[in-house]
Amino acid sequence: MENSAGIQASLSGRYATALFELARDSKALAKVEDSLATVAKALNESADFKALTTSPLVARAAAANAVASVAKSLKLDGTTANFLGVLAQNRRLGELPAIIRAFRQLAAAHRGETTAEVTSAHPLSTAQVDALKQQLRTRIGRDVAIDLSVDPSLLGGLVVKIGSQMIDSSIKTRLNSLAHAMKG
């Protein structure tokens, strides 16, 4: 499996690579990926959990204990729970969103997929995600894993990033282009 030099060059990439290799070697890749998806969802939905991961005021031991409790309540697998404890001890919980993104890229590459980062103005339905996957599969010629995020400032449309390629069909960009064109 090819590890991107770009992923390994960053701090979050090195942590993601370590977790990926540990999960792959212990044949727990799917469990860890599911647990990380649960963690990402918790980060987006819980202001308290997000504050725990980003606050420099929380001591290492307190962060480790809190993360262990969160891992238990979210029913995370042991590998992911231990990994979160290591991040807490090393004061790297703030890197969690970037680590999750890098892990998803590594897992997708391992499965022979390409990862597309999709930002929409509103949450997409399952049918919309499936249709988008099909469109991207047709365009790229291979399976696509989609990493979804929501940015209400887009007003409408999508921004899709696949590697170095970006497709921006957001209303925000169209309005900015129109305003720029009108300035002359």
Side-chain angles (χ1 to χ4, degrees), residues 75-98:
K75 297 182 175 114
L76 303 180
D77 72 286
T79 303
T80 305
N82 290 340
F83 180 74
L84 292 177
V86 169
L87 290 179
Q89 286 297 325
N90 294 342
R91 292 201 160 282
R92 299 292 187 217
L93 285 172
E95 296 288 323
L96 203 47

Side-chain angles (χ1 to χ4, degrees), residues 22-102:
L22 183 63
R24 182 191 62 205
D25 294 347
S26 63
K27 302 199 183 332
L29 204 52
K31 286 181 190 175
V32 171
E33 197 167 9
D34 289 344
S35 289
L36 287 178
T38 302
V39 170
K41 184 177 179 186
L43 280 171
N44 289 332
E45 294 176 355
S46 171
D48 290 338
F49 185 48
K50 186 157 185 79
L52 168 70
T53 64
T54 57
S55 176
L57 303 176
V58 179
R60 290 176 198 240
N65 289 336
V67 164
S69 296
V70 168
K72 187 179 257 186
S73 70
L74 293 176
K75 297 182 175 114
L76 303 180
D77 72 286
T79 303
T80 305
N82 290 340
F83 180 74
L84 292 177
V86 169
L87 290 179
Q89 286 297 325
N90 294 342
R91 292 201 160 282
R92 299 292 187 217
L93 285 172
E95 296 288 323
L96 203 47
I99 291 169
I100 293 171
R101 273 193 306 277

Side-chain angles (χ1 to χ4, degrees), residues 10-24:
S10 67
L11 176 68
S12 56
R14 290 191 297 274
Y15 275 100
T17 301
L19 178 60
F20 173 79
E21 289 174 355
L22 183 63
R24 182 191 62 205

